[in-house]
Amino acid sequence: MKYARLTKEQFEELHQEFINFLATQSVTAEEWTNLKTNKPELAETELDVFSDLIWEGVLNKAEYLEHISPQHMYLFHLKEDKMQAIVINLKNDIDITTKEGYAWLRENLMDENVEFLQADKDYTDDKNLDKFKMIEQGAVITKGDLFNYFDKLIN
């Protein structure tokens, strides 16, 4: 398995897609029930393959990632050939994961305790796996509003 198995909730949400996936494998509902009972390891493999297919589709479409911690904001634009990063570091004890801390940041962008960094990072041979590892570390896929805001602000 390349990525991670979808959660029970994700499988429930993608129930129809999973049925379609099984149909492409020529597996009927009756055969699936039989597979789960009599060959659970094969059923597990089907769940893993489906999970990887879903992740691959999601990662192919992802354009922006964000990872926000108390003193750091990591914003990524996932371009075709590289990742463009904007990092905001706070040099004080303001926690930007709180409503008050985020409001402080918005009002004090030019404060000496706010540091902006930019960098480009090349992908490894597997760009989707690079994206997935960032998600595993806490990044979330976004529409890029924060990235674009800060990109215009500092460039």
Side-chain angles (χ1 to χ4, degrees):
M1 173 160 220
K2 186 173 179 180
Y3 302 113
R5 182 174 296 172
L6 299 174
T7 64
K8 184 177 188 273
E9 293 79 14
Q10 289 167 324
F11 272 111
E12 288 169 1
E13 196 69 32
L14 296 167
H15 179 74
Q16 188 58 50
E17 288 83 352
F18 186 62
I19 290 169
N20 295 343
F21 166 77
L22 290 174
T24 65
Q25 311 279 324
S26 300
V27 177
T28 66
E30 185 179 312
E31 289 170 326
W32 176 245
T33 302
N34 182 37
L35 205 59
K36 288 191 297 184
T37 305
N38 299 319
K39 294 185 181 173
E41 66 287 339
L42 194 53
E44 297 282 322
T45 300
E46 291 293 333
L47 295 172
D48 291 347
V49 169
F50 178 73
S51 294
D52 277 350
L53 282 172
I54 294 298
W55 272 112
E56 199 69 34
V58 167
L59 295 168
N60 278 334
K61 291 178 185 171
E63 291 184 50
Y64 296 93
L65 290 176
E66 293 176 5
H67 189 191
I68 301 172
S69 62
Q71 269 75 47
H72 309 282
M73 185 182 296
Y74 300 92
L75 310 170
F76 299 94
H77 184 186
L78 307 171
K79 296 187 172 190
E80 190 60 37
D81 57 337
K82 65 185 174 202
M83 289 182 246
Q84 186 180 357
I86 296 174
V87 180
I88 296 103
N89 290 321
L90 268 60
K91 300 180 200 174
N92 55 22
D93 60 355
I94 302 287
D95 181 347
I96 58 175
T97 62
T98 66
K99 187 176 179 179
E100 299 78 17
Y102 188 73
W104 181 91
L105 176 63
R106 279 199 335 247
E107 294 165 18
N108 296 280
L109 288 174
M110 298 306 151
D111 188 278
E112 64 184 27
N113 287 304
V114 179
E115 174 183 54
F116 292 94
L117 304 168
Q118 294 183 82
D120 288 343
K121 182 176 190 247
D122 291 328
Y123 295 110
T124 64
D125 291 338
D126 191 336
K127 121 169 109 174
N128 280 349
L129 192 55
D130 293 343
K131 296 174 192 178
F132 181 75
K133 286 178 180 174
M134 292 170 64
I135 291 169
E136 277 190 316
Q137 294 169 355
V140 294
I141 298 170
T142 69
K143 293 180 181 173
D145 294 341
L146 275 177
F147 181 93
N148 289 315
Y149 173 79
F150 284 109
D151 189 42
K152 284 180 186 144
L153 182 72
I154 59 180
N155 289 315

